[in-house]
Amino acid sequence: MKLIILFFSLLIISCGSKEKTSRKDDYTGTSEKTISQNNTLINSKLSFEKTQDSLRKTLLNSKPNENLKSSILQELYIRGLVNQVDDKIKFNLPFNLHGLDCGTPDCYSTDILFEITAKNPIIFPEIINFKLLEHGCDIEQEITESGVFKLVEQSSKYVNYYSENQKSNLIILNEKRALYYFTDVKPNIIKINLLDKIFDEYSELNLNALTPYQSTIMTTNEYENFIEGE
């Protein structure tokens, strides 16, 4: 009888050990699988960023205008939003993102067009005459308006203009490669050093929140979209 009890005791201990080993193997397998998936995602992201960085450098090197390439207009130049024609630098800025809720473009666009005299280095004038064009769905006939931008702030990293008639700010940020157009704002409300706070405090529930228009051309990270076809 003692031998039988001893046998069953050893059998129970053996089964318990196998179950623990099996559970440990399952946990290890799951953990390794998760780590492998995470590493794949990280490598994929790094590979994408590396590819896009390489494409950007190639695009920049292919551009002929050294003056634009060395200015705060570099990113707009790469993406085809500014160009020099004779002695003028022409801007064609389409804003088709009218909210911060998603990156899907609206079916209509608010385009801002103007030009400045080409100088080396580039100098932003105190006053700019511009045209505003509204077109797309729900707009039976294109709406064209004229306005005047007055320089509010500028540095080697940004430029900020305000239009009293349109009650709007146009902002170009070099380091962040960003382009914003704020509407329905009073003078001296939109300043470069307040932008981070504006975005941090943004809420869809706040009907009075300051929300800039943006351009899908500037928000996309895929530089292959700007490679000109043969």
Side-chain angles (χ1 to χ4, degrees):
M1 177 65 70
K2 291 181 178 180
L3 290 174
I4 294 173
I5 294 173
L6 179 61
F7 173 77
F8 278 108
S9 297
L10 291 172
L11 183 62
I12 291 171
I13 293 172
S14 176
C15 290
S17 297
K18 288 182 178 179
E19 184 177 357
K20 289 180 180 179
T21 302
S22 177
R23 288 179 179 176
K24 182 179 180 181
D25 289 343
D26 290 343
Y27 175 79
T28 302
T30 301
S31 178
E32 289 177 351
K33 182 178 180 180
T34 302
I35 292 173
S36 177
Q37 289 175 339
N38 289 339
N39 286 338
T40 299
L41 290 174
I42 292 172
N43 290 334
S44 177
K45 182 178 180 181
L46 290 175
S47 177
F48 174 81
E49 292 177 349
K50 186 176 181 180
T51 298
Q52 297 307 316
D53 184 59
S54 177
L55 282 174
R56 185 183 185 277
K57 290 179 180 178
T58 300
L59 280 166
L60 183 61
N61 290 334
S62 70
K63 295 290 184 178
N65 193 307
E66 296 296 331
N67 195 24
L68 289 174
K69 288 163 63 172
S70 61
S71 73
I72 69 170
L73 300 177
Q74 180 185 96
E75 194 66 26
L76 278 69
Y77 183 40
I78 290 175
R79 296 169 185 250
L81 299 183
V82 301
N83 211 341
Q84 182 171 336
V85 179
D86 297 327
D87 63 341
K88 299 292 183 181
I89 297 175
K90 295 182 178 292
F91 294 70
N92 188 343
L93 311 178
F95 293 91
N96 56 356
L97 293 174
H98 297 88
L100 295 178
D101 53 341
C102 67
T104 304
D106 296 327
C107 60
Y108 74 98
S109 182
T110 302
D111 299 352
I112 298 176
L113 302 90
F114 60 91
E115 61 184 35
I116 64 175
T117 300
K119 296 182 179 180
N120 191 358
I122 292 173
I123 298 176
F124 288 93
E126 292 291 328
I127 295 177
I128 292 176
N129 296 313
F130 71 92
K131 288 184 179 180
L132 186 147
L133 176 64
E134 297 269 3
H135 61 97
C137 64
D138 298 328
I139 300 177
E140 295 182 0
Q141 187 173 357
E142 293 183 351
I143 301 173
T144 303
E145 298 179 2
S146 298
V148 176
F149 280 131
K150 293 183 180 179
L151 187 62
V152 177
E153 301 174 282
Q154 72 168 326
S155 76
S156 60
K157 300 178 181 179
Y158 58 78
V159 63
N160 179 10
Y161 278 97
Y162 182 76
S163 172
E164 293 181 1
N165 290 338
Q166 300 293 338
K167 296 180 181 179
S168 61
N169 281 81
L170 174 67
I171 293 176
I172 300 172
L173 297 176
N174 182 28
E175 285 189 340
K176 294 186 177 181
R177 303 176 187 174
L179 179 66
Y180 300 121
Y181 184 62
F182 287 86
T183 61
D184 298 320
V185 289
K186 296 179 180 179
N188 301 314
I189 295 297
I190 304 298
K191 294 295 180 67
I192 300 299
N193 62 353
L194 297 178
L195 288 179
D196 288 340
K197 181 180 179 180
I198 290 173
F199 292 132
D200 290 341
E201 296 179 352
Y202 171 77
S203 171
E204 293 182 11
L205 301 178
N206 183 2
L207 299 179
N208 296 318
L210 298 172
T211 308
Y213 296 172
Q214 297 183 83
S215 171
T216 52
I217 294 178
M218 286 296 294
T219 57
T220 180
N221 292 323
E222 298 175 350
Y223 282 95
E224 56 264 28
N225 294 330
F226 312 115
I227 298 176
E228 297 180 1
E230 296 181 0

